[in-house]
Structures are given as C-alpha cells and as structure tokens.
C-alpha cells in the first residue's frame, strides 16, 4: 500500500496538473486499498499523517485538508478515483 501511495504522489508531482490533486489522492488510496486490509491501513495512516502536516505546517489550510480527506476516503472505499479526474489530464495518469 505504501508503494501505491508513493507512486500516486510521484505521478502527481510529475504531472504538475492544476486541479488534479484530489484525483491523485483518490487513486493512491484506491490502489493501496485494493491490496487488502493492510493496504487500506497503510493508505489511511499515510493520508492522515500527510493531512495533519498539511493542515498545520504547510499553510494550505484545514479546508483543503478536509477536501483531500474526502478524496482519500473515496478511493479507500473502492469508489472510482476518476470521479476526481480533471478534464485534460494526460491518459498516462
């Protein structure tokens, strides 16, 4: 699961695509959770830690953190991450 989360983060940084953040959050959690309970656990731990840091240290704010958590939970629950996919994001992702 941790690898799935890292891969989604790496792809998000590489894509550098405005509006794609929530898609990559959902995708990383989705891919990790598909590996089973351990993957879902890893995704939750990593997501929660990232959002705690983002909400308090990065200055991005609690509202953005809450929206990220919605996408995280969406993916972990097995729902299609493409729900958050922005138009025009290259098909590579």
């Amino acid at each position: 699961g941790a690898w799935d989360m890292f891969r989604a983060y790496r792809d998000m940084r590489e894509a550098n695509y405005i509006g794609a953040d929530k898609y990559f959050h959902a995708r990383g959690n989705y891919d990790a959770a598909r590996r089973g309970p351990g993957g879902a656990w890893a995704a939750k731990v990593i997501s929660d830690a990232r959002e705690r840091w983002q909400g308090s240290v990065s200055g991005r704010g609690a509202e953005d953190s809450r929206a990220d958590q919605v996408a995280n939970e969406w993916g972990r629950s097995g729902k299609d991450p493409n729900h958050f996919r922005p138009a025009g994001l290259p098909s590579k992702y």
Side-chain angles (χ1 to χ4, degrees), residues 9-92:
Y9 176 75
R10 183 193 63 203
D11 288 350
M12 179 179 70
R13 300 288 295 183
E14 178 184 297
N16 195 28
Y17 197 87
I18 294 173
D21 179 51
K22 305 306 180 256
Y23 164 73
F24 287 109
H25 278 269
R27 196 194 83 188
N29 278 269
Y30 177 84
D31 291 345
R34 290 189 63 190
R35 295 188 183 276
W41 175 83
K44 180 163 179 37
V45 168
I46 292 166
S47 294
D48 289 350
R50 180 181 185 274
E51 296 313 320
R52 272 193 304 278
W53 176 83
Q54 181 177 314
S56 63
V57 176
S58 77
R60 296 191 65 189
E63 188 173 324
D64 187 57
S65 225
R66 278 190 297 276
D68 286 349
Q69 285 289 41
V70 167
N72 293 336
E73 291 168 14
W74 180 278
R76 270 197 312 274
S77 72
K79 295 178 182 172
D80 185 1
N82 286 311
H83 172 77
F84 293 97
R85 186 182 190 85
L89 180 65
S91 61
K92 171 182 178 180

